[in-house]
Structures are given as structure tokens and as C-alpha cells.
Amino acid sequence: MNKHRLYQYFFRGLITFLPLALTVYVLVLFVTWTESLAMMMVRPITGDFYLPGLGIALSAVLIVGLGMLVSRPETGRLLSLVELPFTNLPVVKSIYSSLKNFADYFAPHTGESAQQVVLLRMPGNEMGIVGLVTRQSMDGLPAGLSELEDQVAVYLPMGYMIGGYTVFVPRAWVTKVDMSVEEAMRMALIAYMTSNRSEPDAR
């Protein structure tokens, strides 16, 4: 077996192993944390009796309960009070608002929303870029941007999630792609690489 083939086997094995290992590692951390938390809550009541998996079940129930709670209109004011420290402190405000807006974008929406995967292509240019429509209207943006007519904001994620760009382009430049936002972000993460080794090279 020559050295080149040995390197190929090694890297193929590493690429196969790493995603599985990282996924298992994250799951183990989550399960360990939830089980420890549940054990601390239940042990004072049940003593030495503990049912394995109770932490995951309690976490799922709490998350569903929280989702049901914040979905009720009357809890909006209470939630605003809870968020008050996070939305007023200078540095914390920027971090919290960014993370909340990002999470809200990927949350399920009903009806027509800005959640669209599109192919951005400039007139006269055959190159296309896959992006996410983040704003259908320029209303509410500062002067200079709010004056843009019939334009949309498109976020263009970079490969491996090392960054991205937001561009404002005419609506006619984008074509809707039949792909979910989650799938588009997952494909952008791996730079749309194919797993088919036999795919012919571009000529």
C-alpha cells in the first residue's frame, strides 16, 4: 500500500468519524446536563429513587410549556418585563437582540413571510448566488435605505459559516428556490459540496 492511498484512507476515515463524534459529544453533554439538573430537582423529593431519562423528558416538557406560554397574547407584557435588562444594557442589548432576531427568523411562520431561499442573479450575468431573503420591504430602515423602491434584502451566507453579506437588490433579480431555510443553511455550511465521488468534473 503506497503512501498516497494510505493518506486517502486516513482522511476519508477522519471525515466519516468527525461529524459522528461531534454529534455524539454534543448529545452526551446535553443529556448529562439535563440528567444532573433533574436529579438535583427530584432527589430531595424521591430520595435515592431516580428514573433514567427523566431529565430529557422534563426538558422537553419545559420547552413545550414555555412555547405554549409565550404564544399566549397576555404573556407578551410579562415577557417584555423579563427581557428588560437584556434590551437596555449597552453591550448585552446588541448581543441579545442579534441572537433573538436570528432565532425569530428561523422560527416557524404562518402565511407570507420573509423566510425565502432565493437564487440571486444579476442581469447579463450567468453566475447565481443562493441567499436568504431577510426583508421584503425597506420600511422602517434609516433614510437612504428606506427610499429604495421594490427592493429586498438578501443575506448571502459564506461557506462553513465564517461570515456573510447582506445586499439590497431589485426584487426582479431574485428567483424563489424550492428549499427550506434550514436546508439552505445546512448546504451553505458545507459549501454545497456533493457526497457523490463519481460526479463528473466541471469542464
Side-chain angles (χ1 to χ4, degrees), residues 128-187:
I129 306 175
V130 175
L132 310 174
V133 174
T134 58
R135 182 179 284 266
Q136 296 278 5
S137 171
M138 301 298 109
D139 295 340
L141 292 179
L145 290 176
S146 60
E147 298 168 0
L148 298 175
E149 296 183 0
D150 199 30
Q151 296 212 357
V152 293
V154 181
Y155 174 67
L156 306 174
M158 299 174 64
Y160 303 100
M161 295 302 172
I162 59 174
Y165 301 94
T166 301
V167 295
F168 301 91
V169 298
R171 194 179 302 272
W173 287 16
V174 298
T175 304
K176 189 174 180 180
V177 178
D178 186 16
M179 178 187 296
S180 67
V181 174
E182 294 79 6
E183 185 180 1
M185 293 298 287
R186 178 176 60 83
M187 294 299 293

Short mmCIF file of all heavy atoms in Angstrom, two decimals, residues 128-187:
data_model
loop_
_atom_site.label_atom_id
_atom_site.label_comp_id
_atom_site.label_asym_id
_atom_site.label_seq_id
_atom_site.Cartn_x
_atom_site.Cartn_y
_atom_site.Cartn_z
N GLY A 128 -24.96 32.61 -10.40
CA GLY A 128 -26.03 32.73 -9.43
C GLY A 128 -25.52 32.48 -8.02
O GLY A 128 -24.59 31.69 -7.81
N ILE A 129 -26.11 33.16 -7.05
CA ILE A 129 -25.74 33.01 -5.65
C ILE A 129 -27.00 32.71 -4.84
O ILE A 129 -28.01 33.40 -4.97
CB ILE A 129 -25.08 34.30 -5.10
CG1 ILE A 129 -23.90 34.71 -5.98
CG2 ILE A 129 -24.62 34.10 -3.67
CD1 ILE A 129 -23.29 36.03 -5.57
N VAL A 130 -26.95 31.67 -4.03
CA VAL A 130 -28.09 31.31 -3.18
C VAL A 130 -28.05 32.16 -1.92
O VAL A 130 -27.01 32.29 -1.27
CB VAL A 130 -28.07 29.82 -2.82
CG1 VAL A 130 -29.20 29.49 -1.85
CG2 VAL A 130 -28.19 28.97 -4.07
N GLY A 131 -29.19 32.75 -1.59
CA GLY A 131 -29.27 33.59 -0.41
C GLY A 131 -30.62 33.46 0.27
O GLY A 131 -31.50 32.74 -0.18
N LEU A 132 -30.77 34.18 1.38
CA LEU A 132 -31.99 34.18 2.17
C LEU A 132 -32.57 35.58 2.20
O LEU A 132 -31.87 36.53 2.57
CB LEU A 132 -31.72 33.71 3.60
CG LEU A 132 -30.92 32.40 3.77
CD1 LEU A 132 -30.61 32.17 5.23
CD2 LEU A 132 -31.71 31.23 3.21
N VAL A 133 -33.82 35.70 1.81
CA VAL A 133 -34.49 37.00 1.90
C VAL A 133 -34.76 37.29 3.37
O VAL A 133 -35.45 36.54 4.05
CB VAL A 133 -35.80 37.00 1.10
CG1 VAL A 133 -36.56 38.31 1.33
CG2 VAL A 133 -35.52 36.83 -0.38
N THR A 134 -34.20 38.38 3.88
CA THR A 134 -34.39 38.75 5.28
C THR A 134 -35.34 39.93 5.44
O THR A 134 -35.79 40.21 6.55
CB THR A 134 -33.05 39.12 5.93
OG1 THR A 134 -32.44 40.18 5.19
CG2 THR A 134 -32.11 37.91 5.92
N ARG A 135 -35.65 40.62 4.35
CA ARG A 135 -36.57 41.76 4.43
C ARG A 135 -37.25 41.94 3.08
O ARG A 135 -36.56 42.06 2.06
CB ARG A 135 -35.82 43.02 4.84
CG ARG A 135 -36.70 44.26 4.99
CD ARG A 135 -35.87 45.46 5.42
NE ARG A 135 -35.54 45.38 6.83
CZ ARG A 135 -36.24 45.93 7.80
NH1 ARG A 135 -37.36 46.59 7.51
NH2 ARG A 135 -35.88 45.82 9.06
N GLN A 136 -38.58 41.96 3.09
CA GLN A 136 -39.34 42.15 1.87
C GLN A 136 -39.62 43.62 1.57
O GLN A 136 -40.00 43.97 0.45
CB GLN A 136 -40.68 41.40 1.97
CG GLN A 136 -40.56 39.90 2.08
CD GLN A 136 -40.36 39.23 0.74
OE1 GLN A 136 -40.22 39.90 -0.29
NE2 GLN A 136 -40.34 37.91 0.72
N SER A 137 -39.44 44.47 2.56
CA SER A 137 -39.72 45.90 2.40
C SER A 137 -38.65 46.69 3.13
O SER A 137 -38.11 46.25 4.15
CB SER A 137 -41.11 46.24 2.96
OG SER A 137 -41.31 47.63 3.00
N MET A 138 -38.37 47.88 2.63
CA MET A 138 -37.36 48.73 3.24
C MET A 138 -37.97 49.66 4.29
O MET A 138 -37.27 50.50 4.86
CB MET A 138 -36.66 49.58 2.18
CG MET A 138 -35.96 48.76 1.10
SD MET A 138 -34.63 47.68 1.70
CE MET A 138 -35.39 46.07 1.49
N ASP A 139 -39.26 49.53 4.55
CA ASP A 139 -39.92 50.37 5.54
C ASP A 139 -39.30 50.16 6.92
O ASP A 139 -39.05 49.02 7.34
CB ASP A 139 -41.42 50.05 5.61
CG ASP A 139 -42.14 50.40 4.31
OD1 ASP A 139 -41.59 51.21 3.54
OD2 ASP A 139 -43.24 49.86 4.07
N GLY A 140 -39.08 51.26 7.62
CA GLY A 140 -38.52 51.17 8.96
C GLY A 140 -37.01 51.28 9.01
O GLY A 140 -36.43 51.38 10.09
N LEU A 141 -36.35 51.27 7.86
CA LEU A 141 -34.90 51.41 7.82
C LEU A 141 -34.51 52.89 7.77
O LEU A 141 -35.33 53.74 7.44
CB LEU A 141 -34.33 50.67 6.60
CG LEU A 141 -34.42 49.14 6.64
CD1 LEU A 141 -33.85 48.55 5.37
CD2 LEU A 141 -33.70 48.57 7.85
N PRO A 142 -33.28 53.23 8.11
CA PRO A 142 -32.85 54.64 8.09
C PRO A 142 -32.97 55.25 6.69
O PRO A 142 -33.04 54.54 5.68
CB PRO A 142 -31.39 54.56 8.54
CG PRO A 142 -31.27 53.27 9.27
CD PRO A 142 -32.22 52.34 8.61
N ALA A 143 -32.98 56.57 6.66
CA ALA A 143 -33.06 57.29 5.39
C ALA A 143 -31.91 56.88 4.49
O ALA A 143 -30.77 56.71 4.93
CB ALA A 143 -33.02 58.79 5.65
N GLY A 144 -32.19 56.76 3.23
CA GLY A 144 -31.21 56.27 2.28
C GLY A 144 -31.48 54.84 1.91
O GLY A 144 -31.37 54.45 0.74
N LEU A 145 -31.85 54.04 2.91
CA LEU A 145 -32.25 52.65 2.65
C LEU A 145 -33.76 52.55 2.49
O LEU A 145 -34.25 51.80 1.64
CB LEU A 145 -31.79 51.75 3.80
CG LEU A 145 -30.29 51.51 3.92
CD1 LEU A 145 -29.99 50.68 5.16
CD2 LEU A 145 -29.73 50.82 2.68
N SER A 146 -34.49 53.30 3.30
CA SER A 146 -35.96 53.24 3.22
C SER A 146 -36.49 53.81 1.91
O SER A 146 -37.63 53.56 1.54
CB SER A 146 -36.58 53.99 4.39
OG SER A 146 -36.18 55.36 4.39
N GLU A 147 -35.64 54.56 1.20
CA GLU A 147 -36.08 55.15 -0.06
C GLU A 147 -35.94 54.20 -1.24
O GLU A 147 -36.38 54.50 -2.35
CB GLU A 147 -35.28 56.43 -0.34
CG GLU A 147 -35.47 57.51 0.74
CD GLU A 147 -34.46 58.64 0.61
OE1 GLU A 147 -33.63 58.57 -0.33
OE2 GLU A 147 -34.51 59.58 1.42
N LEU A 148 -35.31 53.04 -1.01
CA LEU A 148 -35.16 52.06 -2.08
C LEU A 148 -36.53 51.47 -2.42
O LEU A 148 -37.25 50.99 -1.53
CB LEU A 148 -34.21 50.94 -1.65
CG LEU A 148 -32.77 51.38 -1.33
CD1 LEU A 148 -31.98 50.20 -0.79
CD2 LEU A 148 -32.09 51.95 -2.58
N GLU A 149 -36.89 51.52 -3.67
CA GLU A 149 -38.21 51.05 -4.09
C GLU A 149 -38.12 49.66 -4.71
O GLU A 149 -37.21 49.38 -5.50
CB GLU A 149 -38.82 52.03 -5.09
CG GLU A 149 -39.10 53.41 -4.50
CD GLU A 149 -39.76 54.33 -5.50
OE1 GLU A 149 -40.00 53.88 -6.64
OE2 GLU A 149 -40.04 55.49 -5.15
N ASP A 150 -39.07 48.81 -4.36
CA ASP A 150 -39.20 47.46 -4.90
C ASP A 150 -37.88 46.70 -4.81
O ASP A 150 -37.42 46.09 -5.78
CB ASP A 150 -39.69 47.52 -6.35
CG ASP A 150 -40.26 46.17 -6.79
OD1 ASP A 150 -40.78 45.44 -5.92
OD2 ASP A 150 -40.17 45.84 -7.98
N GLN A 151 -37.27 46.76 -3.64
CA GLN A 151 -36.04 46.02 -3.40
C GLN A 151 -36.22 45.11 -2.20
O GLN A 151 -37.10 45.33 -1.35
CB GLN A 151 -34.86 46.97 -3.19
CG GLN A 151 -34.52 47.82 -4.39
CD GLN A 151 -33.05 48.12 -4.50
OE1 GLN A 151 -32.25 47.76 -3.64
NE2 GLN A 151 -32.66 48.80 -5.57
N VAL A 152 -35.38 44.09 -2.12
CA VAL A 152 -35.40 43.17 -1.00
C VAL A 152 -34.00 43.06 -0.42
O VAL A 152 -33.00 43.31 -1.12
CB VAL A 152 -35.91 41.77 -1.43
CG1 VAL A 152 -37.36 41.82 -1.83
CG2 VAL A 152 -35.05 41.20 -2.56
N ALA A 153 -33.94 42.69 0.85
CA ALA A 153 -32.65 42.44 1.49
C ALA A 153 -32.38 40.94 1.43
O ALA A 153 -33.23 40.13 1.82
CB ALA A 153 -32.67 42.92 2.94
N VAL A 154 -31.21 40.59 0.94
CA VAL A 154 -30.84 39.18 0.79
C VAL A 154 -29.54 38.93 1.54
O VAL A 154 -28.54 39.62 1.32
CB VAL A 154 -30.67 38.80 -0.70
CG1 VAL A 154 -30.32 37.32 -0.84
CG2 VAL A 154 -31.94 39.11 -1.48
N TYR A 155 -29.57 37.95 2.42
CA TYR A 155 -28.37 37.55 3.15
C TYR A 155 -27.68 36.43 2.39
O TYR A 155 -28.29 35.42 2.04
CB TYR A 155 -28.72 37.08 4.56
CG TYR A 155 -27.53 36.53 5.32
CD1 TYR A 155 -26.49 37.36 5.72
CD2 TYR A 155 -27.47 35.17 5.63
CE1 TYR A 155 -25.40 36.85 6.41
CE2 TYR A 155 -26.39 34.65 6.33
CZ TYR A 155 -25.35 35.50 6.71
OH TYR A 155 -24.28 34.99 7.38
N LEU A 156 -26.39 36.61 2.13
CA LEU A 156 -25.60 35.64 1.38
C LEU A 156 -24.61 34.97 2.34
O LEU A 156 -23.57 35.55 2.67
CB LEU A 156 -24.85 36.32 0.24
CG LEU A 156 -25.71 37.16 -0.72
CD1 LEU A 156 -24.82 37.90 -1.72
CD2 LEU A 156 -26.72 36.29 -1.44
N PRO A 157 -24.94 33.78 2.85
CA PRO A 157 -24.03 33.12 3.80
C PRO A 157 -22.78 32.59 3.09
O PRO A 157 -22.85 32.13 1.94
CB PRO A 157 -24.87 31.97 4.35
CG PRO A 157 -25.88 31.69 3.28
CD PRO A 157 -26.15 33.00 2.59
N MET A 158 -21.67 32.69 3.77
CA MET A 158 -20.41 32.17 3.24
C MET A 158 -20.23 30.72 3.68
O MET A 158 -20.83 30.27 4.67
CB MET A 158 -19.24 33.02 3.71
CG MET A 158 -19.31 34.48 3.25
SD MET A 158 -18.03 35.53 3.96
CE MET A 158 -16.55 34.78 3.26
N GLY A 159 -19.42 29.98 2.94
CA GLY A 159 -19.18 28.58 3.25
C GLY A 159 -18.61 28.40 4.65
O GLY A 159 -17.84 29.24 5.13
N TYR A 160 -19.03 27.32 5.32
CA TYR A 160 -18.57 26.95 6.66
C TYR A 160 -18.94 27.99 7.70
O TYR A 160 -18.37 28.05 8.78
CB TYR A 160 -17.06 26.71 6.66
CG TYR A 160 -16.66 25.64 5.68
CD1 TYR A 160 -16.12 25.98 4.44
CD2 TYR A 160 -16.86 24.29 5.97
CE1 TYR A 160 -15.78 25.01 3.52
CE2 TYR A 160 -16.51 23.32 5.05
CZ TYR A 160 -15.98 23.69 3.84
OH TYR A 160 -15.64 22.72 2.93
N MET A 161 -19.92 28.88 7.37
CA MET A 161 -20.47 29.86 8.30
C MET A 161 -19.40 30.77 8.90
O MET A 161 -19.43 31.11 10.08
CB MET A 161 -21.23 29.16 9.44
CG MET A 161 -22.44 28.42 8.96
SD MET A 161 -23.59 29.51 8.10
CE MET A 161 -24.76 28.34 7.46
N ILE A 162 -18.43 31.17 8.07
CA ILE A 162 -17.40 32.08 8.57
C ILE A 162 -17.81 33.53 8.37
O ILE A 162 -17.05 34.44 8.67
CB ILE A 162 -16.05 31.82 7.86
CG1 ILE A 162 -16.20 32.01 6.34
CG2 ILE A 162 -15.55 30.42 8.17
CD1 ILE A 162 -14.89 31.91 5.59
N GLY A 163 -19.01 33.77 7.91
CA GLY A 163 -19.49 35.13 7.71
C GLY A 163 -20.55 35.17 6.64
O GLY A 163 -21.13 34.14 6.25
N GLY A 164 -20.81 36.36 6.15
CA GLY A 164 -21.80 36.52 5.11
C GLY A 164 -21.99 37.99 4.79
O GLY A 164 -21.43 38.86 5.45
N TYR A 165 -22.80 38.25 3.78
CA TYR A 165 -23.07 39.61 3.34
C TYR A 165 -24.57 39.80 3.18
O TYR A 165 -25.28 38.88 2.80
CB TYR A 165 -22.38 39.91 2.00
CG TYR A 165 -20.88 39.74 2.02
CD1 TYR A 165 -20.30 38.53 1.64
CD2 TYR A 165 -20.05 40.78 2.41
CE1 TYR A 165 -18.92 38.36 1.65
CE2 TYR A 165 -18.67 40.62 2.43
CZ TYR A 165 -18.11 39.42 2.05
OH TYR A 165 -16.76 39.25 2.07
N THR A 166 -25.03 41.01 3.48
CA THR A 166 -26.41 41.39 3.21
C THR A 166 -26.42 42.42 2.10
O THR A 166 -25.75 43.45 2.20
CB THR A 166 -27.09 41.97 4.46
OG1 THR A 166 -27.06 40.99 5.50
CG2 THR A 166 -28.54 42.32 4.17
N VAL A 167 -27.14 42.13 1.03
CA VAL A 167 -27.20 43.03 -0.12
C VAL A 167 -28.65 43.43 -0.36
O VAL A 167 -29.58 42.68 -0.06
CB VAL A 167 -26.60 42.37 -1.39
CG1 VAL A 167 -25.12 42.10 -1.21
CG2 VAL A 167 -27.34 41.07 -1.72
N PHE A 168 -28.83 44.64 -0.87
CA PHE A 168 -30.15 45.14 -1.23
C PHE A 168 -30.23 45.19 -2.75
O PHE A 168 -29.46 45.93 -3.39
CB PHE A 168 -30.37 46.53 -0.62
CG PHE A 168 -30.26 46.55 0.88
CD1 PHE A 168 -29.04 46.81 1.50
CD2 PHE A 168 -31.36 46.29 1.67
CE1 PHE A 168 -28.93 46.82 2.87
CE2 PHE A 168 -31.27 46.30 3.05
CZ PHE A 168 -30.05 46.55 3.66
N VAL A 169 -31.13 44.39 -3.30
CA VAL A 169 -31.18 44.24 -4.75
C VAL A 169 -32.62 44.38 -5.22
O VAL A 169 -33.58 44.17 -4.45
CB VAL A 169 -30.62 42.86 -5.18
CG1 VAL A 169 -29.17 42.70 -4.78
CG2 VAL A 169 -31.46 41.73 -4.58
N PRO A 170 -32.82 44.72 -6.50
CA PRO A 170 -34.19 44.76 -7.04
C PRO A 170 -34.86 43.40 -6.93
O PRO A 170 -34.22 42.35 -7.08
CB PRO A 170 -33.98 45.15 -8.51
CG PRO A 170 -32.66 45.87 -8.52
CD PRO A 170 -31.82 45.20 -7.47
N ARG A 171 -36.15 43.40 -6.67
CA ARG A 171 -36.90 42.16 -6.49
C ARG A 171 -36.82 41.27 -7.73
O ARG A 171 -36.88 40.04 -7.63
CB ARG A 171 -38.36 42.50 -6.17
CG ARG A 171 -39.18 41.36 -5.63
CD ARG A 171 -40.60 41.82 -5.34
NE ARG A 171 -40.59 42.92 -4.40
CZ ARG A 171 -40.62 42.76 -3.07
NH1 ARG A 171 -40.64 41.54 -2.57
NH2 ARG A 171 -40.63 43.81 -2.28
N ALA A 172 -36.67 41.89 -8.91
CA ALA A 172 -36.62 41.12 -10.15
C ALA A 172 -35.34 40.30 -10.27
O ALA A 172 -35.25 39.42 -11.13
CB ALA A 172 -36.76 42.07 -11.35
N TRP A 173 -34.34 40.59 -9.44
CA TRP A 173 -33.08 39.87 -9.53
C TRP A 173 -33.13 38.51 -8.81
O TRP A 173 -32.20 37.72 -8.94
CB TRP A 173 -31.95 40.69 -8.93
CG TRP A 173 -31.53 41.86 -9.78
CD1 TRP A 173 -32.22 42.42 -10.81
CD2 TRP A 173 -30.33 42.61 -9.64
NE1 TRP A 173 -31.53 43.49 -11.33
CE2 TRP A 173 -30.37 43.63 -10.64
CE3 TRP A 173 -29.24 42.55 -8.79
CZ2 TRP A 173 -29.34 44.55 -10.80
CZ3 TRP A 173 -28.22 43.47 -8.93
CH2 TRP A 173 -28.26 44.46 -9.93
N VAL A 174 -34.16 38.27 -8.03
CA VAL A 174 -34.18 37.04 -7.23
C VAL A 174 -35.27 36.11 -7.73
O VAL A 174 -36.33 36.54 -8.18
CB VAL A 174 -34.39 37.35 -5.73
CG1 VAL A 174 -33.25 38.19 -5.19
CG2 VAL A 174 -35.72 38.04 -5.49
N THR A 175 -34.98 34.82 -7.67
CA THR A 175 -35.93 33.78 -8.03
C THR A 175 -36.06 32.83 -6.86
O THR A 175 -35.05 32.35 -6.32
CB THR A 175 -35.44 32.99 -9.27
OG1 THR A 175 -35.20 33.91 -10.34
CG2 THR A 175 -36.47 31.96 -9.69
N LYS A 176 -37.28 32.56 -6.46
CA LYS A 176 -37.51 31.70 -5.30
C LYS A 176 -37.05 30.27 -5.60
O LYS A 176 -37.29 29.74 -6.68
CB LYS A 176 -39.00 31.71 -4.93
CG LYS A 176 -39.29 31.01 -3.62
CD LYS A 176 -40.75 31.17 -3.21
CE LYS A 176 -41.02 30.47 -1.89
NZ LYS A 176 -42.43 30.61 -1.46
N VAL A 177 -36.38 29.68 -4.61
CA VAL A 177 -35.88 28.31 -4.73
C VAL A 177 -36.71 27.42 -3.81
O VAL A 177 -37.01 27.80 -2.67
CB VAL A 177 -34.39 28.24 -4.34
CG1 VAL A 177 -33.89 26.80 -4.40
CG2 VAL A 177 -33.56 29.14 -5.24
N ASP A 178 -37.08 26.25 -4.30
CA ASP A 178 -37.89 25.32 -3.52
C ASP A 178 -36.98 24.59 -2.53
O ASP A 178 -36.61 23.43 -2.71
CB ASP A 178 -38.59 24.32 -4.45
CG ASP A 178 -39.57 23.43 -3.68
OD1 ASP A 178 -39.91 23.78 -2.54
OD2 ASP A 178 -39.98 22.39 -4.23
N MET A 179 -36.64 25.29 -1.45
CA MET A 179 -35.73 24.77 -0.44
C MET A 179 -36.04 25.47 0.88
O MET A 179 -36.33 26.67 0.90
CB MET A 179 -34.28 25.01 -0.85
CG MET A 179 -33.23 24.54 0.14
SD MET A 179 -31.54 25.05 -0.32
CE MET A 179 -31.30 24.16 -1.85
N SER A 180 -36.01 24.73 1.97
CA SER A 180 -36.27 25.34 3.27
C SER A 180 -35.05 26.15 3.71
O SER A 180 -33.93 25.92 3.25
CB SER A 180 -36.59 24.27 4.31
OG SER A 180 -35.45 23.46 4.56
N VAL A 181 -35.30 27.09 4.62
CA VAL A 181 -34.20 27.90 5.15
C VAL A 181 -33.18 27.02 5.86
O VAL A 181 -31.97 27.22 5.72
CB VAL A 181 -34.75 28.98 6.10
CG1 VAL A 181 -33.62 29.75 6.77
CG2 VAL A 181 -35.66 29.95 5.35
N GLU A 182 -33.66 26.05 6.63
CA GLU A 182 -32.76 25.16 7.35
C GLU A 182 -31.87 24.37 6.39
O GLU A 182 -30.67 24.21 6.63
CB GLU A 182 -33.56 24.19 8.24
CG GLU A 182 -34.31 24.83 9.38
CD GLU A 182 -35.60 25.50 8.94
OE1 GLU A 182 -35.98 25.35 7.76
OE2 GLU A 182 -36.24 26.16 9.77
N GLU A 183 -32.45 23.89 5.30
CA GLU A 183 -31.67 23.13 4.32
C GLU A 183 -30.65 24.02 3.63
O GLU A 183 -29.51 23.61 3.38
CB GLU A 183 -32.59 22.50 3.29
CG GLU A 183 -31.89 21.58 2.30
CD GLU A 183 -32.83 20.96 1.29
OE1 GLU A 183 -34.04 21.26 1.33
OE2 GLU A 183 -32.35 20.19 0.44
N ALA A 184 -31.04 25.26 3.33
CA ALA A 184 -30.12 26.19 2.68
C ALA A 184 -28.93 26.50 3.59
O ALA A 184 -27.77 26.54 3.13
CB ALA A 184 -30.85 27.48 2.31
N MET A 185 -29.18 26.71 4.88
CA MET A 185 -28.09 26.99 5.81
C MET A 185 -27.19 25.77 5.98
O MET A 185 -25.97 25.89 6.09
CB MET A 185 -28.67 27.42 7.16
CG MET A 185 -29.41 28.75 7.13
SD MET A 185 -28.35 30.14 6.66
CE MET A 185 -27.37 30.32 8.15
N ARG A 186 -27.80 24.58 5.99
CA ARG A 186 -27.00 23.37 6.12
C ARG A 186 -26.11 23.17 4.89
O ARG A 186 -24.94 22.80 5.01
CB ARG A 186 -27.92 22.16 6.31
CG ARG A 186 -27.19 20.83 6.42
CD ARG A 186 -28.16 19.70 6.70
NE ARG A 186 -29.16 19.58 5.65
CZ ARG A 186 -28.97 18.92 4.51
NH1 ARG A 186 -27.79 18.36 4.27
NH2 ARG A 186 -29.93 18.83 3.62
N MET A 187 -26.67 23.43 3.71
CA MET A 187 -25.88 23.29 2.50
C MET A 187 -24.79 24.35 2.42
O MET A 187 -23.69 24.09 1.93
CB MET A 187 -26.80 23.38 1.28
CG MET A 187 -27.79 22.24 1.14
SD MET A 187 -26.99 20.62 0.98
CE MET A 187 -26.22 20.80 -0.63
#
